[in-house]
Each structure stands twice: as C-alpha cells, then as structure tokens.
Amino acid sequence: MSKAVTALGGAVNADGIAAIAEVPLQGMITLRGDLAASAVKAAAQSAAGVAVPGPGQANCTGDSGLCWMSPDELLVLCPYGDVSDHVQRMQDSLGDVHALAVDVSDARASFTVTGPHARDVMAKLAPVDFHPDAFQSGMFRRTRMAQVPVAFWMRDSDSFQIICFRSQARYVFDLLSVAAQNGSAVSIF
Amino acid sequence: MLILTCPCCGVTGEETEFHAGGEAHLTRFGPGSTDDDFESYLFMRENPKGVHFERWRHVYGCGKWFHAARCTTTLEVFGTYPAQTLAPPQELCDAISAKRPGWSWRALS
C-alpha cells in the first residue's frame, strides 16, 4: 500500500502575526442522515467518543471529534489509521437506517491558525463576524474563504482549525500566509 | 449587501455566501401546455421596484435551497422561508404589509 501524505507535506509558516500550520493526516468521515435518529447519533458518538454537538458547534478533543456541518450532516474526526474500522463499524451499526458514512480523509486538507492575531487573519478572508462576543471557542462555521469553500471551528480562544478541499490546499495556505504577513495586524478585536 | 438567514441551517451570512436562483414560486408548464402558458413560464419574469420574492441557495454552507423576500430598492430582507412551499407564509406577508403598505407581487399583495 502506498504511503499516505498530506496535501502540502506538513507546510508551516510561523513568520507572520499568526502561525499557519498544516495539520498532520486527519481521519474524516462524512455522516449524513437524520441527526435526531438515535442510530445516527450512536454511530457518530461511537466513532468520535464525544457527544453530538448542537447546530453551529464543534465538539473536538485532540484528533477526535464531531462537527455539525448542516441539519443532516456531521463530520466525524478520528485518528487517520482508524478510519476504515470506524466506517465499517458505523455502517454495520446503522444497518437499514437511511444514512451514509463515507471516508473523506484524503479528499480534504486541514490547517491551524494560531496566535493572538488569529481572529484578524480569519476576518480578512471569511465573511463572518469574528468579534469575540459573536464567534467563540467551540463554534463551527461553513463558509467561503476568498474564493473557495471552507469550514472552520475555534479550538480555543486564539486558535482556529480550517478544513478545505485537498485540491485547494495550496491556495488556502497561501491565502492564510499573505493574510498573516508581518505588519498586517488590524487589531480590530 | 444582502444579509440572509438560511431557514434550513439557521446561519446568517452575507450574500456572497449564497447564490441567487431567480424568481420564486414559478408554476412550471411543460409538454402538453398551451404555447402562451409555456412562453410565460419560460420567459416572463417580474422586475419589480420594491418587494420581490426570490429563490436562494446556501451554496457555501449547508447547500440547501430556500426562499427570500426582499426589497429591490433598499436591499432590505423582509424574511426567508423554506423552499418546500408554494407561497410565502402569511406572517411574512403581514410583516411586509406593515413596512410597505399597498405592495403587490404577481397575485400576492
């Protein structure tokens, strides 16, 4: 079997006002179905080991967690090596329930933006209210970043994690690097 | 700039996170209909100055279609409502009447 690599081979840019880093291989499973159904909830919880988050929330610890993508979609995060086991177990436990669990780990790229100016960097790129009162730790949002769709959540008060399509990884990394250039802090928050 | 709230996922975003999908509540006339009906379905669109009803899609978010009522002159959004309906909810029409007395749009007023 070929060796799995991330889109940018672990690219890092720590020179600017916020540190940009590509996240190592991260297992991601898209789970679509009726999120109110107990079988769907149970499948998600068994793979991620955390409770199902409410709308607009992410519930993540380390490289495991659940993100609320839309009223009928969850993103299940788990260690990269465990993905196929989890998908198989989820499909077995879902049985005849109308739901879908698919491994999307290799279709995505993920970055972290960390530092006291992380909000500045994000606010330059996404049309979202990043005021500390409006966007807080644990909140999750799907939107666009410049010209491409992304999803991100706040891991803690000064760090974001971003997920984008793998084919757009270089574009997103370069965007973030430009937005984090030294001397470009807006300091509005 | 329109500020829209997706009735499906509840996210409020500005218009570039969404995509406009043309006029709302069209009745489709297909094979077997009269030429006049088909022509009006295919080509005739409202172009109002004021209250307008449109379809929008939350393209960078949950991906779902929905309806929006807005004003074409002030860009005020009166409200959004789910796509699975043939007419706007009465509360929304009442709210528009309070703000734009005497409005009309196709058969609605």
Side-chain angles (χ1 to χ4, degrees), chain A residues 29 41-50 64-66 76-79 82 86-87 89-90:
Chain A
I29 302 166
K41 278 187 189 170
Q45 282 165 355
S46 74
V50 297
S64 292
L66 290 174
V76 181
L77 304 176
C78 63
D82 300 345
H86 281 312
V87 170
R89 232 177 299 148
M90 285 162 85

Side-chain angles (χ1 to χ4, degrees), chain A residues 27-175:
Chain A
M28 297 182 211
I29 302 166
T30 285
L31 177 64
R32 295 202 83 146
D34 178 2
L35 299 189
S38 54
V40 175
K41 278 187 189 170
Q45 282 165 355
S46 74
V50 297
V52 175
Q57 301 285 322
N59 200 354
C60 301
T61 50
D63 56 1
S64 292
L66 290 174
C67 303
W68 186 92
M69 297 289 276
S70 81
D72 59 358
E73 182 177 348
L74 285 176
L75 182 67
V76 181
L77 304 176
C78 63
Y80 186 81
D82 300 345
V83 169
S84 49
D85 286 351
H86 281 312
V87 170
Q88 191 57 50
R89 232 177 299 148
M90 285 162 85
Q91 281 169 346
D92 291 345
S93 74
L94 285 167
D96 291 338
V97 176
H98 184 63
L100 183 76
V102 178
D103 173 11
V104 294
S105 315
D106 298 314
R108 307 276 165 84
S110 187
F111 300 96
T112 53
V113 180
T114 315
H117 289 293
R119 279 181 192 275
D120 271 8
V121 173
M122 295 296 289
K124 289 183 198 177
L125 299 171
V128 173
D129 184 358
F130 281 103
H131 191 278
D133 293 343
F135 203 87
Q136 296 163 346
S137 206
M139 288 179 78
F140 181 91
R141 176 74 188 256
R142 282 171 87 177
T143 183
R144 80 185 161 86
M145 194 166 263
Q147 301 183 48
V148 296
V150 296
F152 51 76
W153 69 97
M154 265 194 111
R155 307 199 303 176
D156 51 56
S157 59
D158 62 359
S159 111
F160 291 84
Q161 185 161 346
I162 301 162
I163 291 175
C164 66
F165 290 117
R166 186 185 178 108
S167 59
Q168 296 162 346
R170 171 55 65 182
Y171 176 82
V172 171
F173 182 80
D174 290 349
L175 269 183

Side-chain angles (χ1 to χ4, degrees), chain B residues 66-77:
Chain B
F66 61 93
H67 286 125
R70 69 176 180 102
C71 178
T72 58
T73 48
T74 64
L75 301 190
E76 177 180 3
V77 176

Side-chain angles (χ1 to χ4, degrees), chain B residues 37-106:
Chain B
D37 280 344
F38 186 67
E39 185 216 13
S40 88
Y41 155 65
L42 205 55
F43 298 116
M44 306 311 266
R45 293 292 181 270
E46 292 295 292
N47 183 21
K49 183 179 178 183
V51 178
H52 194 28
F53 293 83
E54 288 174 323
R55 301 168 72 225
W56 283 79
R57 183 171 176 245
H58 195 184
V59 65
Y60 285 106
C62 67
K64 303 294 193 295
W65 286 93
F66 61 93
H67 286 125
R70 69 176 180 102
C71 178
T72 58
T73 48
T74 64
L75 301 190
E76 177 180 3
V77 176
F78 300 114
T80 55
Y81 52 102
Q84 294 76 17
T85 180
L86 299 174
Q90 190 55 47
E91 312 89 80
L92 180 58
C93 294
D94 293 344
I96 297 171
S97 296
K99 288 174 175 167
R100 300 284 190 281
W103 68 278
S104 72
W105 184 86
R106 290 202 182 250

